[in-house]
Amino acid sequence: MNERSSKTPLLTARDLTLRFGRIAALDGVDLDIHPGEVVAIVGESGSGKTTLLRVLSGLMRPDAGEVSYLGQDVLGMSEAARRRLMRTEWGFVHQNPRDGLRMAVSAGGNIGERLMATGARHYGNIREQASHWLTRVEIDPARMDEVPAKFSGGMQQRLQIARTLVTLPKLVFMDEPTGGLDVSVQARLLDLIRALVADLGLAVLIVTHDIAAARLLAHRMLVMRHGVVVESGLTDRVLDDPQHPYTQLLVSSVLAA
Amino acid sequence: MTHDPGYNFAYLDESTKRMIRRAILKAVAIPGHQVPFGSREMPLPYGWGTGGIQVTAAVLGPADVLKVIDQGSDDTTNAVSIRAFFRRTAGIATTESTEAATIIQTRHRIPERKLREDQILVYQVPIPEPLGRLEPRIAETRRMHAMADYGLMHVKLYEDIARHGHIATSYSYPVMVNGRYLMSPSPIPAFDNPKMDQMPALQLFGAGREKRIYAVPPYTSVKSLDFDDHPFRPIRAPHVCELCGSGDTYLDEVLTDDVGGRIFVCSDTDFCSERQAMKEAAE
Amino acid sequence: MSISLATEGLSKEFRLHLQGDVRIPVLADVDFSVAPGECVALAGPSGAGKSTLMRCLYGNYGAGSGRILIRHRGELVDLAAADPMLVREIRRETLGYVSQFLRVIPRIGARDIVAEPLRARGVPAGAALARATELLTRLNLPARLHDLPPATFSGGEQQRINLARGFAADYPVLLLDEPTASLDPVNRQVVVTLIAEAKARGAALIGIFHDTQIRDQVADRLFEVLPIQDAA
């Protein structure tokens, strides 16, 4: 059944190591992500979680270790091949929507870019897709021709998600996607991500220091400290029955909502 | 005719010409790819054709007949000066006739008359990078060319349609060369783009300030980017030429008085006068 | 006798690193089993570890040692040793859990929350929502509330959503942690009926029932969970 086939991981990382001078940003990190699985990486600032995201997505080279995506060696692949992945089967959602959007290009153009980059050449179809995706991320399609600079922070982030998901990627990297947003806006965005991920069967690797967000979104969780994954497992087990002293500290520091 | 003995043939020294020819050969070998070259200081200002003039100097031989046009016209200051420059420094023959020329240096137009295999068209290029206005980082545009990552260019056309209802780019309209490299055709009107496709003549492009040479070899595919449902359309003023009556050439609008009077005439002066002569002969 | 769920030598202790590394043993060598169509009530004084046992059975707490065998896709699988992927699969198909408290997901309507486990199994939206409506109606949740997010609902209303969610998906094994604590007598009887129906279709149920009257109505037998010093 499909369950059995999904036992083959989408992305696999083995023994990733990266040092910045005397500081170990990654110290022997192993990781598997399966199709349809949402994995959260939590930990305090400087724990290496963003570095891990950058290494896994091929943006940064580790000193040692392996990353493979469906059997392809990510670190060894040509830049052309990696870019192709990045605009088709992968997506990256940045904390700051300005890093992921073209601020001078209309919302429709932002969503259409990945389609055009992969060969879409029918203006009407691109508009239709853009309109569909704006609706899915709860932006009025009538605003399709406005530039994102006119949008609120939450809308910009939703637009960035639409722009990323339009090619139906298999794997999406998210770096603190709710980071700069008001709490009320955060909840809405998290809920939207949760629904989209479930509907589309996406695999998502999400870096966050928001434990509540991780509980809501992630099936599995990795806790990082000083470049080391100190604990990992089912999200509810890691949070409700933490084993490592650092995880216990992290969980006990969260205000109960 | 002989050239001014105070200058090397065609102004540039032989090593420089060889260097430029090597760049041209490379450019011909990789159609549409911008090849860097050691652009020299020329005795005219940037923007007046320093790139085109160096390319012309490098390919010019004593037997060549040179035509220079500026916006289609043979008699503007720029065209007249460049012809005079090569008459003096190379002693070659010059002409205003497209048919008689072996090398045509141009600014912002392609002649209306179909060019032949034994002709070379040299374009003066102010800005060779078609992605520059969309992606300011040069290293990134280089990478985009290397990866053929051209989605962004279509985003620009998309934005045109979204804002104006049609593709509003009317000159420097980007083209795909040989199905591989995105290229700026230089600021020729989009009307001229179709002439580049499968042209029998060799097309060379020189950008002096930006130090780039690129080329389209004879009979190479040159396609203007577009959308299936918004196909590329060469646009011209919907008039006929006041002088020769042509209804299918690129027209300039000319003001005739200060009370709003205006006429449309062919931008290609040689083509227009040829047609006028034929009309007179027929009458 | 065939087994739906069994533990073998299940032990669990908590180690509190932040409180001077204190160790709190809660379960030691727990052996019990539940058969299809059977409802076992966990009994024992408060603090004896009934809830801990329940959470271990759901995989929410990791087992310290021992095995937790569950019949999943026809075979006995050790939940205590299962990787997260397998635990998720077991929870999706075989093992349900009705907790005392509803973990509210912002902005999602009650009906969708109830339908979610069925949707996760690939049941079409229409059928899943129809089943959700059926359960919510049986549990007397007013129809006007069905599509509202339950964040502002009363404790009893939230508990009924939890119950509907747990019973809608017809799990072969269902864990019930104080399922009737905040319910009125009418709805308690609905729960009794739901449990009887689940047993009739062959489900194994394990429950903690504060209300002994309800417990005696639904439980086939009791399993005593004793504080460790007493058990030893």
Side-chain angles (χ1 to χ4, degrees), chain C residues 92-156:
Chain C
R92 187 164 57 238
E93 296 176 16
T94 306
L95 180 63
Y97 183 63
V98 177
S99 68
Q100 293 182 64
F101 306 104
L102 178 67
R103 193 175 286 284
V104 179
I105 305 167
R107 297 206 310 151
I108 307 231
R111 197 201 311 262
D112 286 315
I113 291 177
V114 173
E116 195 268 334
L118 286 168
R119 301 279 292 124
R121 279 189 204 164
V123 174
L129 289 172
R131 176 83 174 133
T133 309
E134 181 197 332
L135 266 295
L136 289 172
T137 307
R138 282 189 70 181
L139 284 156
N140 300 305
L141 191 81
R144 66 188 160 78
L145 298 182
H146 287 194
D147 288 318
L148 296 182
T152 54
F153 290 9
S154 72

Side-chain angles (χ1 to χ4, degrees), chain B:
Chain B
M1 250 189 301
T2 54
H3 69 270
D4 186 330
Y7 295 100
N8 189 42
F9 178 77
Y11 185 79
L12 292 173
D13 65 88
E14 292 306 311
S15 315
T16 297
K17 284 193 276 186
R18 218 173 286 147
M19 174 270 292
I20 294 173
R21 285 177 202 137
R22 277 198 293 268
I24 291 171
L25 283 173
K26 187 172 177 184
V28 168
I30 315 170
H33 171 61
Q34 300 165 45
V35 180
F37 80 108
S39 179
R40 297 294 190 253
E41 287 297 321
M42 297 302 285
L44 76 168
Y46 286 129
W48 288 55
T50 53
I53 209 171
Q54 289 181 83
V55 170
T56 299
V59 296
L60 197 65
D64 274 313
V65 179
L66 178 68
K67 170 184 163 85
V68 181
I69 51 172
D70 176 0
Q71 309 261 27
S73 164
D74 293 89
D75 50 12
T76 60
T77 313
N78 197 221
V80 170
S81 309
I82 292 174
R83 277 202 304 277
F85 172 80
F86 280 114
R87 267 200 309 275
R88 181 172 169 198
T89 61
I92 45 105
T94 58
T95 181
E96 296 191 1
S97 157
T98 301
E99 188 176 18
T102 57
I103 297 174
I104 302 165
Q105 182 175 328
T106 177
R107 176 174 176 269
H108 302 188
R109 268 319 302 278
I110 296 175
E112 303 288 358
R113 172 186 282 277
K114 210 169 178 311
L115 299 182
R116 302 182 310 264
E117 287 180 6
D118 62 344
Q119 294 178 310
I120 297 176
L121 186 59
V122 177
Y123 297 77
Q124 300 172 196
V125 180
I127 301 162
E129 179 50 71
L131 297 165
R133 261 179 298 179
L134 302 161
E135 175 52 71
R137 295 167 295 179
I138 291 170
E140 182 60 21
T141 61
R142 295 265 154 269
R143 222 172 275 134
M144 289 161 83
H145 283 297
M147 312 289 164
D149 192 351
Y150 294 137
L152 190 55
M153 200 71 238
H154 266 92
V155 172
K156 158 85 170 72
L157 299 180
Y158 169 96
E159 292 288 288
D160 257 16
I161 304 174
R163 265 174 218 167
H164 309 289
H166 60 93
I167 298 176
T169 305
S170 57
Y171 66 95
S172 280
Y173 191 107
V175 292
M176 246 347 230
V177 178
N178 203 25
R180 173 60 183 82
Y181 280 97
L182 183 71
M183 186 184 95
S184 164
S186 86
I188 60 170
F191 175 81
D192 281 343
N193 274 20
K195 296 177 187 158
M196 305 179 83
D197 184 39
Q198 303 295 341
M199 185 192 278
L202 170 64
Q203 304 173 71
L204 300 177
F205 300 77
R209 179 176 41 208
E210 302 294 329
K211 303 179 173 56
R212 292 288 184 277
I213 285 171
Y214 52 99
V216 177
Y219 302 109
T220 300
S221 140
V222 178
K223 296 274 174 265
S224 304
L225 298 189
D226 62 2
F227 290 100
D228 298 344
D229 49 343
H230 283 265
F232 171 81
R233 280 181 307 122
I235 297 165
R236 62 184 289 280
H239 297 277
V240 292
C241 172
E242 191 84 7
L243 302 177
C244 76
S246 162
D248 58 2
T249 51
Y250 193 72
L251 301 176
D252 283 341
E253 186 181 358
V254 180
L255 297 180
T256 51
D257 51 39
D258 55 5
V259 291
R262 56 188 188 165
I263 56 168
F264 288 89
V265 297
C266 284
S267 137
D268 184 338
T269 52
D270 171 57
F271 185 82
C272 192
S273 44
E274 222 173 85
R275 272 181 59 102
Q276 290 175 61
M278 272 166 56
K279 238 166 67 176
E280 273 166 32
E283 277 163 8

Side-chain angles (χ1 to χ4, degrees), chain A residues 7-18 26-34 52 55-56 62-69 72-75 220 222 227 229 232, chain C residues 83:
Chain A
K7 297 253 165 166
T8 316
L10 209 52
L11 189 83
T12 300
R14 288 291 171 267
D15 206 15
L16 294 177
T17 302
L18 177 62
L26 298 176
D27 191 355
V29 173
D30 293 341
L31 175 74
D32 289 329
I33 303 169
H34 295 84
L52 177 58
V55 168
L56 290 174
D63 297 333
E66 290 167 21
V67 180
S68 104
Y69 171 75
Q72 299 164 263
D73 174 10
V74 171
L75 302 173
R220 207 151 54 80
L222 272 69
V229 176
S232 70
Chain C
D83 66 25

Side-chain angles (χ1 to χ4, degrees), chain A residues 80-168:
Chain A
R82 196 180 61 75
R83 280 187 169 229
R84 207 173 305 121
L85 270 183
M86 250 322 175
R87 60 177 189 246
T88 54
E89 295 181 18
W90 288 8
F92 202 109
V93 174
H94 298 264
Q95 173 173 7
N96 187 341
R98 284 169 182 278
D99 295 334
L101 291 173
R102 293 190 190 279
M103 298 305 282
V105 167
S106 69
N110 265 290
I111 296 177
E113 181 172 353
R114 273 169 78 101
L115 295 172
M116 292 183 250
T118 48
R121 292 294 179 263
H122 192 284
Y123 178 80
N125 292 351
I126 294 166
R127 297 281 286 180
E128 221 166 86
Q129 286 253 44
S131 165
H132 167 77
W133 277 96
L134 284 172
T135 310
R136 286 205 76 164
V137 299
E138 301 170 12
I139 297 175
D140 181 359
R143 305 190 66 176
M144 175 148 57
D145 294 329
E146 291 178 29
V147 293
K150 289 188 177 174
F151 291 177
S152 68
M155 277 172 80
Q156 288 180 6
Q157 199 57 296
R158 280 181 274 137
L159 179 61
Q160 190 191 184
I161 287 166
R163 168 185 158 92
T164 307
L165 297 189
V166 66
T167 54
L168 299 176

